[in-house]
Every structure is written in structure tokens, then in C-alpha cells.
Amino acid sequence: MVAPGSVTSRLGSVFPFLLVLVDLQYEGAECGVNADVDKHLELGKKLLAAGQLADALSQFHAAVDGDPDNYIAYYRRATVFLAMGKSKAALPDLTKVIELKMDFTAARLQRGHLLLKQGKLDEAEDDFKKVLKSNPSENEEKEAQSQLVKSDEMQRLRSQALDAFESSDFTAAITFLDKILEVCVWDAELRELRAECFIKEGEPRKAISDLKASSKLKNDNTEAFYKISTLYYELGDHELSLSEVRECLKLDQDHKRCFAHYKQVKKLNKLIESAEELIKDGRYTDAISKYESVMKTEPGVPEYTIRSKERICHCFSKDEKPVEAIRVCSEVLQVEPDNVNALKDRAEAYLIEEMYDEAIQDYETAQEHNENDQQIREGLEKAQRLLKQSQRRDYYKILGVKRNAKKQEIIKAYRKLAMQWHPDNFQNEEEKKKAEKKFIDIAAAKEVLSDPEMRKKFDDGEDPLDAESQQGGGGNPFHRSWNSWQGFNPFSSGGPFRFKFHFN
């Protein structure tokens, strides 16, 4: 009885016709082997049954070395190779078994099955036909006939796939190849053919998947590595492109196309890595220059142009250059309307420009595509607060400065306006009252914007001088009448308001 999950059970799931045959050959085969070889075979059998494949393999290696003409030793070693997923190693052993014992139908059936998986249909059919001519058991005959039918079907599908490819009907070719590769899973040539079809159909990632499989199925497959590298390069994935072209050069360091491509990818990769380091260091102008060089280095690949512009848009936004950020981000979004990074960066630029409705729209669009992004959620909430705030008192507008104005600009604007609107300048009672109100707003704006903590609150959409916007309510020490501002010196840097204006 075969235990579920055992090595023999797993092997039988791939080659069901062998479940009984393997045990029969183990128990019933008689070979003229010496005692040491017999000992290795018996111990290897027990280790295989226990799932200790590496140890079992060592025993069968020893058995083959001890008796190179012992077909059972080769057969059992092939069985271990198959259990380990090493079909390439199993095939020569099965061939050796057949050379030593031509009527060993279990080995021939097993080899035929492997050849069918490799897409070697003529060789597989030859094995199945010879099984039928060698007085097989009922199960062997049934299995050989079944595999022959399957092989004939694969021959027909292969012919149809090649005809479709030659006619440039790549969709039909893919359909045929899909069916073949369900059976001939180890056929490297057919995978490469399907990869070409995927490329023609504009599905490079599917092509990469087939080419990667081919690079493992076929030894020294430099062409597959080269194609994978170029496909990744065209997709804008320069790091994976570099990794794959290096694999090509490991196999053949003089490969001309791989070496030329390697130099191009390495140059581009170096520029991008340098640009990203500059962004980390906050050197946005230098980073922009690097990404402009990226676009000049590879103008023929649209992906690098759009990715470079995306990062330039980010740099302008972080460097608080909103006009430039909005322009470049918009160029990206014309090509990729759902680009979340560009939407976020343009939204931040809109906030600096006080274009709150536009910022909210960008954040909402970004949120539709990435609803779990905390940065988007916080940005949207901030934009909504700032929109609401803009409909009330805006300290930046009162002083006539941008939201990204430096402290020196704020103080300069304040002094100019305080001088202009000081109530002592006005004699008419109505004008004086208007000036008092204006002066209070100017002083309040300076109070908030020159204090980093208060300014941050205001930038986040909260008015630190508005009692209603303060949590917990209560009175506000910053609400002052004109009398409380008298004696205030607008040319001081803060502190007690001791001085009164005297104008010439």
C-alpha cells in the first residue's frame, strides 16, 4: 500500500502507470550483483521510501559505480532524480536501462513520457510503439496507446501553431501553443515561439515569463537572457534589465549584443541611482538635471521619458516650485491619467498656489486608485481644511505673500503694510476705524506666520487665533482690540510692544 504524500505517491501522480511497476521491478528484478551493490540497492530503496532522497541518491550512485551494467541501479537512480524534479538527469539513466535491458517496458514508458514533456514527439512516439511491440502488460499497453494518441494530437497542434505564426496570426498561434505546452511543459523552443507571439501582441511580461522558463530548460541560453533584458529595458525596469544581461555575460563574456546592451543599461542605471540619491539629500535641482540626462540618453524608450518626468514633477513639488511642478505633472497625467504619484505631487503644488479645488480633485482621483494611501488621505483632509479656511481670514493674503514665503519675506511685507495702515496716519474717524481693523489683521498675520508652531497649525488648515477652530473652545489670548496694539513697534522682531510710532 502506498502512503499518501510519500515519494512513491508523488511520483505516481506524475507517472501513474508506474506505481505498481516500480514496486514490481524493485521486488522481482533479478540481477547478478555482488553483495555490496545489493546492499546499496536495498538501503537506497528504504531511504527512498522514507523520503530521504539525497541519501538514497548517494546509495544508488555507489551501486552504479560498483556495477556499471546493473540496469536496476540506473533505474532506481532515475526514480530518485524524478522525485527530486531533475528530469534532465533521469533521462540518461533511463536510456542506459533500455540499452542494458531492451524489454524493460517500464523504463521505456517512463522515458517516452519525459520525451513527450520535452516536446520530442518523434522520439516519444518511437518509445510508445516499441512498448506495444514488446508483449506489454495490460496497464502498459493501455498507457502506451493513450500516450500515442496524445503525441499525435501534439503533432497536429504544433503544425497548426507554426502555420499560424508564419501567417502572422499570433493570437491563433498562442491558442495552439497554450494547448501544446500543457503537455510539452519542458519544450524550450515552443516557449520561445510563444514568447515571440506575446511580443508581437504587445504582452512583454508574458513573453518574459516564457523566456525565463526557456533559459532554465536550455543550457547556455544567452539569447533568452538577452531578450529578457531588452524587454525589461523597454518596460522601464532598468535594474532587472541589468541583472538579466549580466547572466548572459556570465555564460559568454564576449557576447557582442549582450555587452553593448550592458554598457547602455549600466550608464542609464547609474544616472537614475545618482538622481535618486540627490532626491534623498533634498538636492532637487541637481536631481532634475540627472533625470533630464536620462531622457537624452534613451529618447527612444517612452517609458524612461514618462518616468523621468514623473520624478522631475516630484522634485519641483518638493522644492516648492509649484508652477513648474504643475506643468510637468500635467504632462505626465496627459499620458497616464491615473498616475497616483503625479496626482499627489500636482495636488501639493496646487496647495502652494492656493488652488484648493484643483488640489482636492487630484487627491480624490488619486484616492480612487489607492484608497489605503495615508499620504493621500491626509493631503485631501488638509486641502479641504485650507479651502474652508480660505473662505475666512487668510494671513498669507493679508500680507500679500505666497504660502512658501520665507520668514524674512513675511517680516518685510508686514513692516511695509504696518507702516501704511497704522491708524495714526489717518485723521478721518471712519478711515481711522478702517485702518484699525486692517492693522489688527496685519499684526495678527505677522503674529501667526512668524511663529513656526502657529504657522504650521495655520498651514494644516487650523486658525490658531480663531477660538472656534481651537479644540475645547474658550477664550483666545490673541483676540485683541486696537487699544491692546497701541505702542506696538512693527520694526521689532517680536516681544513686548513698548514703542509707539512717530512719523515725520
Side-chain angles (χ1 to χ4, degrees):
M1 178 121 182
V2 177
S6 68
V7 174
T8 309
S9 174
R10 292 200 304 274
L11 191 60
S13 68
V14 182
F15 307 110
F17 61 94
L18 292 176
L19 269 176
V20 177
L21 290 173
V22 170
D23 287 337
L24 283 173
Q25 294 295 348
Y26 280 0
E27 299 298 335
E30 294 181 1
C31 300
V33 294
N34 59 44
D36 286 340
V37 171
D38 192 42
K39 182 179 178 182
H40 287 306
L41 288 173
E42 187 61 28
L43 183 54
K45 176 185 172 183
K46 291 178 180 178
L47 290 167
L48 175 60
Q52 296 173 250
L53 301 182
D55 293 334
L57 187 61
S58 296
Q59 294 299 322
F60 295 140
H61 281 323
V64 169
D65 292 340
D67 185 0
D69 294 326
N70 188 320
Y71 72 90
I72 287 296
Y74 287 105
Y75 185 74
R76 290 185 180 175
R77 187 169 72 174
T79 303
V80 177
F81 279 136
L82 289 172
M84 297 173 79
K86 297 180 179 180
S87 60
K88 283 184 181 179
L91 201 55
D93 275 0
L94 292 171
T95 298
K96 186 67 176 178
V97 171
I98 295 166
E99 288 175 4
L100 293 169
K101 188 170 177 59
M102 297 288 291
D103 62 346
F104 195 166
T105 54
R108 196 175 286 280
L109 267 175
Q110 201 163 347
R111 188 177 72 171
H113 200 96
L114 292 177
L115 291 169
L116 184 61
K117 282 178 173 288
Q118 289 182 343
K120 296 178 180 179
L121 303 180
D122 292 335
E123 294 176 49
E125 286 182 5
D126 184 60
D127 270 344
F128 297 138
K129 287 175 181 177
K130 285 180 178 177
V131 167
L132 293 175
K133 292 177 182 178
S134 62
N135 192 28
S137 68
E138 184 179 343
N139 284 339
E140 289 173 337
E141 182 179 6
K142 182 179 178 181
E143 181 61 30
Q145 288 175 340
S146 171
Q147 294 301 307
L148 267 176
V149 171
K150 188 179 289 185
S151 182
D152 286 342
E153 175 68 6
M154 294 305 104
Q155 294 275 26
R156 183 182 64 80
L157 287 170
R158 178 183 290 206
S159 177
Q160 290 176 314
L162 292 173
D163 288 343
F165 184 82
E166 290 298 323
S167 303
S168 298
D169 188 353
F170 304 114
T171 302
I174 290 169
T175 301
F176 293 130
L177 290 167
D178 285 346
K179 292 178 182 177
I180 302 171
L181 287 167
E182 287 178 4
V183 176
C184 306
V185 291
W186 300 330
D187 191 324
E189 282 73 20
L190 288 183
R191 287 194 177 276
E192 289 177 1
L193 181 63
R194 188 169 68 173
E196 286 299 316
C197 293
F198 282 136
I199 291 169
K200 297 289 187 182
E201 289 293 291
E203 297 187 84
R205 295 200 179 277
K206 289 184 178 180
I208 287 170
S209 178
D210 269 342
L211 288 168
K212 282 190 172 183
S214 176
S215 71
K216 294 175 182 176
L217 292 167
K218 190 191 294 184
N219 293 330
D220 300 332
N221 197 344
T222 55
E223 189 63 23
F225 284 117
Y226 173 73
K227 286 184 178 179
I228 294 168
S229 180
T230 56
L231 287 171
Y232 273 134
Y233 189 76
E234 290 167 7
L235 287 168
D237 200 330
H238 54 96
E239 291 178 341
L240 284 175
S241 177
L242 188 60
S243 174
E244 295 295 333
V245 78
R246 280 174 173 158
E247 292 300 318
C248 173
L249 292 172
K250 284 179 185 177
L251 296 172
D252 180 4
Q253 62 182 3
D254 297 322
H255 194 290
K256 290 183 178 179
R257 286 187 298 165
C258 281
F259 186 68
H261 185 60
Y262 169 75
K263 289 195 294 183
Q264 178 74 358
V265 182
K266 190 176 181 182
K267 179 182 177 181
L268 192 77
N269 193 61
K270 189 175 180 181
L271 280 171
I272 293 172
E273 286 181 347
S274 176
E276 289 302 310
E277 284 298 319
L278 290 167
I279 290 174
K280 286 180 183 177
D281 294 339
R283 297 169 58 189
Y284 300 115
T285 302
D286 292 336
I288 288 169
S289 177
K290 289 288 184 184
Y291 271 115
E292 287 172 346
S293 296
V294 169
M295 291 190 285
K296 291 175 184 175
T297 299
E298 196 48 87
V301 181
E303 190 66 21
Y304 290 110
T305 298
I306 200 69
R307 293 286 78 79
S308 294
K309 286 187 175 182
E310 180 186 320
R311 299 305 283 159
I312 290 171
C313 145
H314 176 74
C315 289
F316 277 134
S317 181
K318 291 300 179 186
D319 205 22
E320 296 189 342
K321 294 180 179 177
V323 175
E324 294 88 341
I326 290 167
R327 174 179 57 80
V328 180
C329 292
S330 297
E331 290 176 8
V332 175
L333 291 165
Q334 283 178 354
V335 180
E336 298 179 346
D338 301 333
N339 188 310
V340 172
N341 291 328
L343 285 166
K344 289 195 292 186
D345 286 324
R346 189 171 71 171
E348 288 186 21
Y350 278 141
L351 288 181
I352 296 172
E353 284 292 279
E354 302 174 18
M355 299 168 69
Y356 304 123
D357 287 318
E358 290 84 350
I360 289 170
Q361 185 176 345
D362 273 359
Y363 278 128
E364 287 178 339
T365 304
Q367 196 170 51
E368 289 173 8
H369 301 287
N370 194 347
E371 59 184 19
N372 296 321
D373 190 314
Q374 185 176 352
Q375 187 182 4
I376 294 173
R377 186 166 58 251
E378 291 175 353
L380 178 58
E381 291 171 357
K382 179 179 178 179
Q384 290 168 338
R385 287 196 306 270
L386 288 171
L387 175 62
K388 187 176 179 181
Q389 183 189 85
S390 70
Q391 295 162 352
R392 300 195 301 267
R393 182 164 58 173
D394 188 329
Y395 296 124
Y396 289 104
K397 286 184 177 178
I398 290 171
L399 293 184
V401 296
K402 291 286 188 182
R403 296 192 77 89
N404 59 346
K406 306 297 182 186
K407 186 174 181 179
Q408 296 90 325
E409 296 175 66
I410 291 167
I411 297 298
K412 183 179 178 181
Y414 161 71
R415 286 173 175 170
K416 180 180 177 181
L417 290 170
M419 177 77 76
Q420 178 184 345
W421 289 99
H422 195 285
D424 286 355
N425 292 338
F426 300 89
Q427 303 303 318
N428 181 280
E429 196 61 32
E430 287 297 320
E431 290 181 350
K432 188 181 283 290
K433 285 182 180 180
K434 180 182 176 182
E436 286 177 1
K437 185 179 182 305
K438 189 80 172 175
F439 187 84
I440 289 171
D441 285 343
I442 292 166
K446 184 260 184 186
E447 188 77 17
V448 170
L449 299 184
S450 61
D451 182 291
E453 186 176 341
M454 294 174 71
R455 182 177 181 180
K456 185 179 185 306
K457 285 185 178 181
F458 184 75
D459 286 344
D460 289 338
E462 176 185 339
D463 187 346
L465 302 187
D466 183 355
E468 292 182 3
S469 74
Q470 300 297 306
Q471 290 186 354
N476 191 327
F478 293 102
H479 275 193
R480 299 175 180 172
S481 66
W482 161 241
N483 291 331
S484 68
W485 293 103
Q486 292 210 47
F488 174 46
N489 179 6
F491 296 98
S492 72
S493 60
F497 308 145
R498 301 193 187 100
F499 306 101
K500 186 167 181 177
F501 273 40
H502 296 283
F503 297 98
N504 293 326

